[in-house]
Amino acid sequence: MLRSLVGRPSGRVWTALRMGGLAIGLALRDIRMDRRLVLCMVLAMAAVLAPLLVLFGLKFGIVSGLREQLRSHPQMRELRPVGQFRLDDAWFDRLRDRDDVAFLVPNTRYLTATIRLGDGGRVAPLDTEMIPTAPGDPLFPAGIPIPETLTKVVLSRRAAEKLGLAAGDTVPGEIGRSVDDRRETLALDLTVVGVLPTEAFERDAAFVPLDLLLETERYREGMAAPLIGGTGTAPPEDPRTFASFRIYAGDVDQVEGLRDHLAAEHIDTLTRLSDIRLIQRFDTGLTFVFLIIAVLGGGGYLVSLAVSLAATMETRTRQFGLLRLVGFQSLSIGLFPLVHALITALAGSAVAIGVYYALEPAINAVFQQQLGFSDVVSRLTWEHLAIAIAGSTGAAVLASFFAAWRAMRVSPAQGLRDQ
């Protein structure tokens, strides 16, 4: 008794699976016999999907290229504080703990952050802005070392050209101050360890360790600066504070959030957020246009596919009735339009992808030669192709449900009407 109870369900399942497999095999044979109609549906799907792939490839390529250009310029991720503040070490530690902060270094007051470079020999001395740097500085390309001692400096291209200097040269520096109406100067011998490219920094600047800026600030305030040989009064024992800072977000999409966080702490900053938002609006607009075209084109095709499958299955009513007579269940009959839709979607997707890759070199060549684009304009990733295949297949299967419902309602008696 127990064996019969256990065996009956498994027997029904095995029978259903066997009949379902037979139905799929018959559906594939039916596709082969009616291959002209199926080929027309495949080409119709490819005619809709191929332009969508080209359009999305252009959208993704152009927007990705613009975003990569933004990310390749560290200035796009920079937030420049406006004003002077009193920020302690604890404040910097809290800010460094944020995930959207890629680089942060304190800075001193602007009026104390200058140095005169050059000895007035073959070129005139140059009053140069000193900018603090540290490991991980986004303005430093690979190959240019970070100056880690007080006697080393990295110059901007503009400052190096005015002074006639290159990496490895030594340049005298002069820091001046006024004490009791007396003019005092402190001489330093600095070694140029690197020169930044023009696109990294366009002003006259010397990138130096933070300690040199701190010593310069103390010296100009009349205090002793022992690390650079400056004499004066003893510095106060108050906790150290900084007047400003340099900060860069981890990504262009994080600039706005970081700016809002600093604004909440009453620190105004200047950003390139307008340029970033322009790309984001451009991406949103292209996505909206793509969705409209995809809905109109894809929706129209799916309606025509559903009607075509329903009409095709209507011509098979007698054959479905005969299959019901020989023992096929309604679910097995419903597999016929599902198989038709699945084969149509997979074959149509393959043809559309082939058309896209055949056109991609020509599209990129037109944009590069005629419109002056330097990067690849149209491109799709494997993830995009997988989504396109899955989406078209799923939509085609949904479009076949009406035809499957009609086929499942065929009764065995309908197979005998024309006999």
Side-chain angles (χ1 to χ4, degrees):
M1 183 68 177
L2 182 60
R3 292 181 60 184
S4 63
L5 291 175
V6 174
R8 286 174 185 172
S10 63
R12 294 195 189 101
V13 171
W14 172 251
T15 301
L17 291 176
R18 185 168 59 86
M19 299 303 288
L22 289 174
I24 293 174
L26 291 173
L28 293 175
R29 290 187 181 183
D30 184 54
I31 291 174
R32 188 177 63 181
M33 295 298 295
D34 207 4
R35 52 184 174 273
R36 291 183 179 178
L37 177 60
V38 174
L39 179 61
C40 291
M41 291 192 293
V42 167
L43 294 178
M45 169 163 275
V48 173
L49 185 58
L52 293 179
L53 291 177
V54 172
L55 180 60
F56 186 81
L58 285 172
K59 170 196 170 299
F60 177 74
I62 291 175
V63 173
S64 298
L66 293 174
R67 285 183 172 273
E68 288 302 322
Q69 290 183 7
L70 289 181
R71 292 187 174 96
S72 65
H73 292 82
Q75 293 86 351
M76 292 293 178
R77 299 186 284 115
E78 181 183 13
L79 295 89
R80 289 178 291 169
V82 179
Q84 306 283 312
F85 313 96
R86 295 181 62 86
L87 307 171
D88 57 17
D89 290 331
W91 184 88
F92 283 96
D93 290 338
R94 290 195 302 270
L95 193 58
R96 286 192 185 95
D97 289 337
R98 291 180 57 90
D99 295 334
D100 52 3
V101 175
F103 178 80
L104 175 64
V105 62
N107 202 352
T108 58
R109 291 185 294 114
Y110 301 127
L111 295 178
T112 64
T114 59
I115 186 172
R116 175 165 292 185
L117 297 178
D119 56 5
R122 55 190 177 90
V123 294
L126 181 65
D127 290 327
T128 308
E129 175 186 2
M130 286 194 294
I131 299 177
T133 186
D137 195 325
L139 295 182
F140 281 54
I144 297 182
I146 300 292
E148 297 180 350
T149 64
L150 276 64
T151 59
K152 294 182 179 180
V153 62
V154 171
L155 298 178
S156 64
R157 174 65 62 182
R158 179 174 170 177
E161 290 177 348
K162 288 183 177 181
L163 294 170
L165 298 173
D169 293 343
T170 300
V171 58
E174 183 182 287
I175 300 173
R177 71 178 179 182
S178 296
V179 179
D180 297 331
D181 296 329
R182 299 191 318 273
R183 176 68 179 173
E184 297 181 357
T185 59
L186 182 67
L188 297 174
D189 288 328
L190 303 174
T191 301
V192 180
V193 297
V195 177
L196 292 182
T198 303
E199 61 271 14
F201 201 86
E202 297 181 351
R203 302 195 304 271
D204 298 331
F207 289 81
V208 299
L210 176 62
D211 287 341
L212 179 56
L213 278 163
L214 294 175
E215 291 292 288
T216 301
E217 185 177 52
R218 294 190 189 101
Y219 177 76
R220 284 185 166 149
E221 291 177 350
M223 293 181 287
L227 296 181
I228 57 175
T231 59
T233 61
E237 297 182 357
D238 298 336
R240 182 176 62 178
T241 59
F242 301 94
S244 187
F245 54 91
R246 289 180 61 210
I247 187 170
Y248 291 81
D251 190 82
V252 292
D253 294 329
Q254 298 174 327
V255 171
E256 185 172 6
L258 187 54
R259 184 206 60 174
D260 294 342
H261 171 77
L262 293 174
E265 298 195 9
H266 308 289
I267 298 177
D268 293 330
T269 56
L270 298 177
T271 67
R272 301 289 295 274
L273 194 56
S274 59
D275 297 327
I276 298 171
R277 284 175 174 169
L278 178 62
I279 303 301
Q280 293 172 338
R281 289 195 296 269
F282 184 62
D283 185 15
T284 303
L286 285 181
T287 301
F288 180 71
V289 172
F290 173 79
L291 289 177
I292 290 178
I293 297 175
V295 169
L296 293 178
Y301 171 74
L302 292 179
V303 171
S304 67
L305 177 62
V307 173
S308 298
L309 287 174
T312 302
M313 296 303 111
E314 192 72 24
T315 63
R316 308 289 196 273
T317 300
R318 179 173 172 273
Q319 289 84 348
F320 291 158
L322 292 174
L323 291 176
R324 292 296 307 275
L325 281 173
V326 297
F328 281 83
Q329 300 297 320
S330 58
L331 288 177
S332 299
I333 302 300
L335 290 176
F336 275 76
L338 292 177
V339 172
H340 272 259
L342 186 62
I343 296 300
T344 300
L346 292 177
S349 299
V351 173
I353 292 172
V355 171
Y356 168 79
Y357 278 112
L359 295 176
E360 185 185 57
I363 295 172
N364 289 324
V366 169
F367 276 85
Q368 291 171 352
Q369 296 175 7
Q370 303 297 328
L371 301 180
F373 283 77
S374 58
D375 297 327
V376 174
V377 177
S378 179
R379 56 176 172 168
L380 292 175
T381 65
W382 288 108
E383 289 82 1
H384 296 149
L385 298 179
I387 292 173
I389 294 173
S392 59
T393 303
V397 170
L398 287 176
S400 70
F401 281 175
F402 176 69
W405 175 72
R406 293 288 300 272
M408 292 169 63
R409 296 185 63 191
V410 174
S411 65
Q414 290 177 271
L416 301 175
R417 287 179 180 175
D418 297 330
Q419 295 294 328

